[in-house]
Amino acid sequence: MLWWRDWRTRHFLLPQFDAVGKAPEIMHPASVIVFGSNIRLGNFPHLISTADNCIRLTAMGHRGGKATIDIGDYVLISPGVRISAGQSISIGNACMIAANVYISDSDWHGLYNRTRPFRCTAPISIGDNVWIGDSAIVCKGVNIGDNSVVGAGSVVTRDVPANAVVAGNPARVIKEINPRRRMITREALFADSFRQAHNLDELDKMLLSGNNLIGWLRSLLWPRRGD
């Protein structure tokens, strides 16, 4: 069924983006929800979503204004990630965004007038090789420096310097990363793009082995462990 997934990705999902780089890998294209325009993916993006935990990318400007989402090269986006732009969200190269992360550049409603949307909006900029942990929240106006790590469950309300580990609510620096040590980023996975594509295809074949019509009917009528 890999051919069906790839066909669906090419014909239904990718045309919804304003630009997509080379060799996108989309694990479940039906569960990637794209709303709005000016949403761009770089080279070698890897989007992992599931039917019960969609990835949602939304760019919705105020009063006809343009909101933008720009995602760099070699970026990993995991199940349940929501990226919502009322103005501008920029994500650098080789970033890793774990499951259920929420990134939003707007409060969407005012503190005192809650009938008016798009209040208190400020751009978000995330540098290269940033790792955002499970269920973290990145709020409006935040800049995150290169190589930094946001701990799981953190709420980032202020800028994060480069080469820092932050955690908590609100997130604070708890550790520094040595910038002089060699840093291996996701870009290294794609040094040989043909080999990487082959490895991903082999992984898909292994995970999807037995995933056919007969196997599906058997799982409904005679379920067993592992279905």
Side-chain angles (χ1 to χ4, degrees), residues 21-124:
K22 59 184 177 181
E25 183 73 19
I26 316 294
M27 299 301 289
H28 194 277
S31 59
V32 178
I33 311 301
V34 179
F35 182 83
S37 58
N38 302 304
I39 301 175
R40 292 176 280 270
L41 286 176
N43 295 319
F44 302 102
H46 194 177
L47 277 59
I48 304 173
S49 59
T50 61
D52 61 344
N53 205 12
C54 296
I55 291 172
R56 299 180 183 274
L57 308 176
T58 303
M60 186 167 57
H62 182 38
R63 293 183 177 177
K66 291 184 178 180
T68 62
I69 298 174
D70 287 293
I71 298 172
D73 300 337
Y74 314 108
V75 171
L76 169 67
I77 300 178
S78 303
V81 167
R82 293 180 295 149
I83 302 175
S84 301
Q87 186 173 347
S88 172
I89 296 176
S90 174
I91 298 173
N93 298 329
C95 289
M96 300 190 299
I97 305 177
N100 303 311
V101 166
Y102 179 46
I103 301 172
S104 175
D105 67 358
S106 178
D107 291 339
W108 301 106
H109 292 280
L111 184 61
Y112 295 99
N113 184 351
R114 302 183 186 184
T115 65
R116 295 182 63 189
F118 300 98
R119 311 298 290 177
C120 303
T121 301
I124 290 174

Side-chain angles (χ1 to χ4, degrees), residues 1 5 8 20 35 40 52 61 71 81 94 97 103 111 125 137 151 161 164 178-179 194 215 220 224 227:
M1 298 298 288
R5 188 195 69 182
R8 189 166 186 172
V20 180
F35 182 83
R40 292 176 280 270
D52 61 344
I71 298 172
V81 167
I97 305 177
I103 301 172
L111 184 61
S125 177
I137 298 173
N178 185 353
F194 177 82
L220 294 177
R224 63 191 181 195
D227 286 340

Side-chain angles (χ1 to χ4, degrees), residues 117-190:
F118 300 98
R119 311 298 290 177
C120 303
T121 301
I124 290 174
S125 177
I126 297 173
D128 295 336
N129 196 37
V130 170
W131 178 8
I132 303 178
D134 194 295
S135 302
I137 298 173
V138 179
C139 299
K140 67 180 189 296
V142 163
N143 297 296
I144 300 178
D146 295 348
N147 304 319
S148 288
V149 178
V150 176
S154 300
V155 179
V156 185
T157 60
R158 64 190 70 178
D159 288 355
V160 175
N163 301 301
V165 179
V166 300
N169 181 7
R172 294 181 174 86
V173 176
I174 61 171
K175 184 177 181 178
E176 294 183 355
I177 296 172
N178 185 353
R180 292 183 296 276
R181 288 192 57 175
R182 182 189 179 202
M183 184 75 69
I184 302 175
T185 74
R186 282 184 55 80
E187 184 175 357
L189 292 173
F190 301 91

